[in-house]
Amino acid sequence: MSVQASHPSAASWQPPGGIVAVDLGNTAAKVLISDALAGIRPFGSDHASPLSRSFAIDAGPWTDEAIDWVRQHASAVHQWRLASVNRGAASRLQSDILKRFPSADVVRVVHDRVPVPSDLAAPQRIGIDRLLCAFAAGLADPGAPRRATTLVDAGSAVTVDFLDDQGIFRGGAILPGLNLQARSLATGTDLLPQIDWASETSLQSPGKDTVAAIRLGILSGVAGAIDRLATRYGTDRVLITGGDATAIAPHLSVTHRVCHDMVGVGILACRCWSPSESASGPTDPPPDPADATPTQRHC
Ligand SMILES: Nc1ncnc2c1ncn2[C@@H]1O[C@H](COP(=O)(O)OP(=O)(O)OP(=O)(O)O)[C@@H](O)[C@H]1O
Ligand SMILES: CC(C)(CO)[C@@H](O)C(=O)NCCC(=O)O
Ligand SMILES: [K+]
C-alpha cells in the first residue's frame, strides 16, 4: 500500500467553487453543483437540499438535459469532473459538453486522484464510485474522519463495503440492486410481473399477492444482506447512499444513516486538477496541487 490515507475532514472542508461533479452509474448520472454545498455540512440535515439531480441514462437526450440543467443552476462553471463506472455514458457526456462548450475544462476522476489505500488484489479495477464513497466518508462526522464504516451504495448494483478505522478500503460485497432483481424475475419467468417500486412504499409481510411477495423478497434480501455484512465487518457506523437508499433504509435493523450524494461529494473533495491536464486523466507524474490554478471557464 503506497497511498497514505488522507480522508477529508468534516471540521475543515469547504467545497471548491464552480465545480460540477458528475457521478455516472449504469442507470443514472447524478450531477452536483459545488456552490450548492457552500456553507452547509455534507451529509448533515441541511444537505437534503443541495443542488443535485439524477438523470436517467437512457436512449433520450439525457446529456443535453443535464447540461441545460447545469447552465440554469450554476452561475459559473470552472470545471466538470466526471467519475464513471459506465464507459459509454462518460464518453457521450464528455463529448456533448465539449461540442457545446469547446473550451470547457472536463476531467475524468481516475483512481490515482482518490487517496484511499486498499488491500485489494487489483486496486485499479475497483469501481471509482466505491472508492469515492469511501473517501467521502471522512466528511460524515466532524472530528472523526477515520472510523470503521460499512458503506452501502444502493444503485443498479448494491455495494456493501468495509472501510477500516485506519481509512483503508478492505473490500466488500456486490449484489444486484432492487430494479435489476425485479427485472430478472420478470424476464426469467412466465408468470411474474415487472413491479414498480415507486407505486408502493409499505411492505406486507408475508406478501398476500404476487407483487407484495416480490417486493418483500427483494427488499428483505438486500436489507438482510446489509445487516449481516455490517455485523460481520464489525463496524460501528453504517452509511447508505445511492438512488435506492431511501427505499432500503427503513427495512434495515442495523443503525444507519442515509447520506445523499456521497459519490458526488467525494468527487468535489478529491484533489484539484491543473487546467492543463487532459480529459483522459493525469499524466505521469501527477502535478503538485500547489501548481493548480483553475482557469475561469464559463459555460
Ligand atoms: N432520475 C432517476 N433516474 C433513474 N433512477 C432513479 C432516479 N431517481 C431515483 N432513481 C432510483 O435510483 C436507482 C438508481 O440508483 P443510482 O443512480 O444510485 O444507480 P447507479 O449509480 O446508476 O448504479 P450503479 O452505480 O450501481 O451502476 C434506480 O434503480 C431508481 O430506483
Ligand atoms: C459495482 C458497481 C457496478 C457499482 O456501481 C461499480 O462499482 C463497478 O462497476 N465496479 C467495478 C468492479 C468492482 O468494483 O470490483
Ligand atoms: K453508484
Side-chain angles (χ1 to χ4, degrees):
M1 260 173 281
S2 56
V3 189
Q4 276 290 312
S6 57
H7 297 260
S9 157
S12 56
W13 186 71
Q14 279 300 318
I19 308 290
V20 177
V22 190
D23 159 25
L24 292 131
N26 288 284
T27 303
K30 279 72 59 185
V31 184
L32 177 61
I33 297 171
S34 68
D35 305 292
L37 281 176
I40 72 166
R41 191 163 78 76
F43 320 130
S45 52
D46 46 0
H47 184 84
S49 59
L51 231 31
S52 74
R53 208 177 125 181
S54 171
F55 296 86
I57 294 170
D58 51 24
W62 64 271
T63 53
D64 286 332
E65 285 165 13
I67 296 166
D68 286 342
W69 181 80
V70 168
R71 288 193 65 196
Q72 283 160 18
H73 292 91
S75 46
V77 176
H78 306 316
Q79 186 170 67
W80 293 75
R81 293 184 185 174
L82 277 43
S84 179
V85 294
N86 181 339
R87 290 170 289 181
S91 306
R92 187 170 156 201
L93 178 61
Q94 184 174 330
S95 98
D96 286 355
I97 295 168
L98 291 172
K99 244 183 248 160
R100 287 177 59 177
F101 307 104
S103 61
D105 185 11
V106 186
V107 296
R108 295 281 185 100
V109 181
V110 292
H111 290 70
D112 301 348
R113 292 295 177 173
V114 191
V116 177
S118 72
D119 67 351
L120 304 176
Q124 296 289 327
R125 294 260 175 89
I126 188 181
I128 194 82
D129 51 354
R130 298 172 68 190
L131 217 51
L132 285 161
C133 259
F135 192 51
L139 293 170
D141 289 292
R146 291 185 192 176
R147 203 169 144 192
T149 304
T150 298
L151 288 162
V152 182
D153 188 355
S156 319
V158 175
T159 50
V160 188
D161 291 328
F162 174 29
L163 183 69
D164 77 10
D165 61 1
Q166 298 303 304
I168 298 169
F169 187 96
R170 295 280 178 199
I174 302 175
L175 58 153
L178 303 185
N179 282 333
L180 268 183
Q181 293 196 38
R183 208 181 313 145
S184 75
L185 286 178
T187 57
T189 65
D190 183 26
L191 294 181
L192 298 184
Q194 177 67 53
I195 64 160
D196 172 12
W197 291 103
S199 65
E200 175 70 58
T201 50
S202 66
L203 204 58
Q204 195 178 49
S205 179
K208 298 296 183 191
D209 58 35
T210 309
V211 170
I214 294 173
R215 288 174 42 79
L216 178 66
I218 295 175
L219 268 171
S220 306
V222 171
I226 295 167
D227 285 339
R228 183 188 175 100
L229 290 164
T231 305
R232 187 175 287 188
Y233 298 159
T235 59
D236 60 356
R237 181 171 74 168
V238 177
L239 305 178
I240 177 165
T241 193
D244 288 330
T246 50
I248 294 167
H251 307 290
L252 295 174
S253 300
V254 76
T255 303
H256 62 273
R257 198 156 106 216
V258 175
C259 293
H260 297 289
D261 303 312
M262 281 196 83
V263 178
V265 170
I267 294 171
L268 297 181
C270 65
R271 238 173 88 186
C272 293
W273 281 256
S274 80
S276 60
E277 281 180 82
S278 78
S280 58
T283 46
D284 191 24
D288 186 325
D291 296 334
T293 44
T295 48
Q296 303 265 324
R297 292 202 177 115
H298 300 264
C299 22

